[in-house]
Amino acid sequence: MRGSVYYQSSQLVKQIFVEGAKKQDRVNPNHQHYQLIASYKTMESYRNIWNNFFNYLLEHWKIKDFEKISSEHIAAYMDYKIEYYPSKQYLEKISASLCKLEIALKLFAKNIHGVERDYDFSIRQTILDNARDLKLVASNYHNRAYSNPKLLISNLRDDYHRLAAIVQYEGGARIEGVALIKPEQLMGTKIDPITNNEVGVIVTKEKGGKVGEVLINLDTYKKLESYFQEHDKFKINRQAYYNDIKQSAITSNENQEASHGLRWNFAKRRMFEYGKAEFKYEVCLQQVSHEMKHNRASITKYYLA
């Protein structure tokens, strides 16, 4: 599909919106109005979210044709929104709108191209369920750093989950940066100019395709190297990882902050390291923001409260 964000969303609206369609027909799998939207207000609300999502894809993933949306993009967008601690109602609305987007894309492919396309955005529900379960959504703000992250990590049941958590804790990576790591992402070692310690370097793609280095301790880096001697990729199941962290938090007497809490720990520690190296405060904020694959220095303050 070609055209602006707003043009493409308007074409998808045409596929799924039938004003005044009866509810009994919209829940009937055998009716032509099955799963369609009948309320103008609901459609307008969902389309606004689609437009925000499409602009996100355009900016961060360079995707101009929204028929190319995949579950990877859905997961990244949901995680991106969760990181800023949205209200439960807002995240639920995002999930619902992405569900309808899946249906609209399928209808567009069928009605316009005459083909069946297997869009599957079910990952949105998995992420939503875990966000609610782990209290990553609420109507208030709170500090999400773990009080004893090393204990939390040590109490994880799965060895691979433990390795992923260590990478998040030491390097500040997001979940998408550790859910799948390939051998070619390991870039060797270097001297960290802030601490003057030798560290391992992983290049990850996060937050809508933003590429950057993740610096980890040498022991952790060597564990990854050893792993790749027998495996072609490091991959964990998000659902299992979420559940393991949840159980470990209970065992460790920690608040359940999922893997996001480990990034908060990274931000606090890294700010201290920059400060110890006698960087000015504003420079510290900006540099840590970049290392966490953000743009604005002010974002770092969010992690320090």
Side-chain angles (χ1 to χ4, degrees):
M1 193 190 312
R2 295 183 179 181
S4 69
V5 163
Y6 306 101
Y7 173 78
Q8 291 190 56
S9 67
S10 71
Q11 298 308 298
L12 293 173
V13 166
K14 292 178 182 179
Q15 303 302 314
I16 200 169
F17 178 65
V18 177
E19 187 175 9
K22 296 179 180 178
K23 182 176 181 180
Q24 63 192 51
D25 297 333
R26 289 186 284 115
V27 297
N28 181 359
N30 298 316
H31 197 279
Q32 63 177 343
H33 292 162
Y34 178 56
Q35 294 183 315
L36 301 190
I37 299 172
S39 165
Y40 177 82
K41 184 176 181 180
T42 299
M43 187 69 259
E44 182 181 37
S45 175
Y46 284 178
R47 188 187 176 193
N48 286 336
I49 292 175
W50 292 0
N51 287 337
N52 287 334
F53 177 44
F54 292 169
N55 279 314
Y56 161 86
L57 293 177
L58 191 62
E59 178 183 358
H60 297 291
W61 294 81
K62 311 305 178 186
I63 292 177
K64 298 180 180 180
D65 179 356
F66 302 118
E67 289 185 81
K68 296 180 180 179
I69 295 172
S70 70
S71 61
E72 177 186 19
H73 305 130
I74 298 295
Y77 186 65
M78 293 285 285
D79 284 333
Y80 171 71
K81 287 296 185 180
I82 288 171
E83 188 165 1
Y84 296 96
Y85 207 53
S87 70
K88 180 171 71 71
Q89 292 79 8
Y90 181 52
L91 193 64
E92 288 172 343
K93 181 181 288 188
I94 291 175
S95 179
S97 71
L98 295 179
C99 175
K100 291 302 183 182
L101 176 61
E102 175 187 328
I103 296 168
L105 285 168
K106 287 180 178 178
L107 290 172
F108 187 88
K110 181 179 179 180
N111 297 334
I112 304 301
H113 300 307
V115 298
E116 299 283 345
R117 289 187 179 168
D118 188 24
Y119 293 99
D120 181 5
F121 298 167
S122 58
I123 185 65
R124 63 173 179 80
Q125 189 63 48
T126 298
I127 294 174
L128 173 63
D129 290 342
N130 279 286
R132 289 187 295 208
D133 189 32
L134 297 172
K135 298 180 177 60
L136 301 185
V137 286
S139 58
N140 63 314
Y141 171 91
H142 72 274
N143 188 326
R144 289 162 58 187
Y146 289 110
S147 60
N148 192 340
K150 292 183 178 180
L151 176 62
L152 176 95
I153 293 171
S154 69
N155 282 331
L156 291 172
R157 297 175 178 178
D158 186 278
D159 290 340
Y160 297 156
H161 294 167
R162 195 175 300 114
L163 182 54
I166 290 173
V167 172
Q168 287 197 273
Y169 171 65
E170 293 178 353
R174 289 184 175 85
I175 178 66
E176 62 262 37
V178 297
L180 175 63
I181 303 174
K182 297 179 180 180
E184 56 266 30
Q185 292 177 242
L186 272 62
M187 308 303 292
T189 65
K190 73 174 188 179
I191 300 299
D192 178 1
I194 308 306
T195 63
N196 291 320
N197 294 327
E198 187 178 9
V199 294
V201 182
I202 308 173
V203 171
T204 66
K205 182 184 291 187
E206 305 171 27
K207 195 186 177 185
K210 186 173 290 186
V211 177
E213 292 183 343
V214 171
L215 307 183
I216 58 177
N217 292 341
L218 283 182
D219 287 345
T220 305
Y221 190 82
K222 291 177 181 178
K223 288 179 181 178
L224 280 171
E225 285 185 318
S226 297
Y227 178 88
F228 287 128
Q229 290 179 2
E230 300 180 3
H231 305 84
D232 60 352
K233 60 185 176 183
F234 176 85
K235 186 176 182 180
I236 58 173
N237 179 281
R238 287 188 183 217
Q239 179 69 62
Y241 186 47
Y242 290 142
N243 291 340
D244 202 357
I245 291 179
K246 176 185 176 181
Q247 186 57 51
S248 179
I250 294 172
T251 302
S252 307
N253 196 29
E254 292 270 10
N255 289 329
Q256 296 174 34
E257 305 295 352
S259 65
H260 293 285
L262 297 171
R263 272 172 58 82
W264 285 54
N265 286 112
F266 166 82
K268 291 177 181 295
R269 187 188 71 250
R270 197 59 170 162
M271 276 293 293
F272 175 78
E273 290 172 349
Y274 270 95
K276 190 175 180 180
E278 299 185 349
F279 282 80
K280 292 183 178 180
Y281 181 68
E282 291 300 326
V283 175
C284 296
L285 292 175
Q286 187 64 70
Q287 291 302 115
V288 173
S289 178
H290 284 161
E291 290 192 21
M292 298 183 75
K293 298 180 177 63
H294 289 296
N295 294 319
R296 304 189 308 276
S298 59
I299 294 296
T300 305
K301 293 181 180 179
Y302 180 85
Y303 295 90
L304 303 179

